[in-house]
Amino acid sequence: MPPGREIILVVEDEPAIADTLVYALQTEGFAPIWKSSGRDALAELERTPVALVVLDVGLPDGSGFDVCRTLRARHAVPVIFLTARSGEIDRIVGLELGADDYVAKPFSPRELTARVRAVLRRTHGASSAASSPAATAGVWQHDVPRCRIGYRGSALELTRNEYRLLAALLAQPGRVFSREQLMEAAWDDPGAALDRTVDAHVKSVRAKLRSAAPEADPIVTHRGLGYSLREET
Ligand code: CA
């Protein structure tokens, strides 16, 4: 293993997809390891200092969601899900699993490696088995296991829906989310929420962010489209 190369664990049962991923990651200077089952992946995590896991949702020995839950209980390593179904995206974006990001199939190798880089940048590479699960990244501090978010050093006192809404935005800075997508990410019963419910929650999150950092306004309104989080580092 060349020194200084970050190890990326690729958990994918389809060899063609795994090959593409391994090749793309190698080309980008990473040291990928491929495992085709959740069991093998969890065993590998016990013996190797993995920097990030790329995890397929549909695995032969169970769901990637279960693998994520098991590894989350033991390791602070960031996880990017690979998913083929939009129904799965809702669960991932809802962050009940503490995933750091997701990529929908089919994807380009370039897109995947860009996401890997972005997540590693966010987590500062502080993801070895020994490190704290709290992911500290630039101006945001997202402690996924504890469901807490801090901004510029101040912890935010968020309600459950405010947390889930902000966590969804935070998972993909710069991406514009529609109100509908935010509802599905942050509410257990999205049908019961209204567009203006999302607006009201964004307003209260903004007020809390203002008390943490009066001059900053990190949530951007896109008229007729929705909201995004300003990309800052
Ligand atoms: Ca699969």
Side-chain angles (χ1 to χ4, degrees), residues 55-58 63-66 68-69 72 79-105 115 122 142 144 163-164 167-172 175 177 181 184-186:
L55 182 57
D56 185 31
V57 173
S63 149
F65 294 143
D66 296 330
C68 185
R69 228 170 260 124
R72 272 277 171 260
V79 174
I80 297 179
F81 272 113
L82 295 178
T83 174
R85 286 197 291 272
S86 56
E88 293 168 349
I89 293 174
D90 296 340
R91 285 187 70 189
I92 298 166
V93 173
L95 289 186
E96 53 183 290
L97 298 153
D100 296 273
D101 205 348
Y102 71 88
V103 176
K105 292 177 182 178
R115 297 290 181 83
R122 261 196 334 252
H142 190 181
V144 173
Y163 166 75
R164 288 172 63 175
L169 291 170
L170 192 51
Q172 292 181 64
R175 172 180 159 178
F177 287 85
Q181 286 168 330
E184 293 197 353

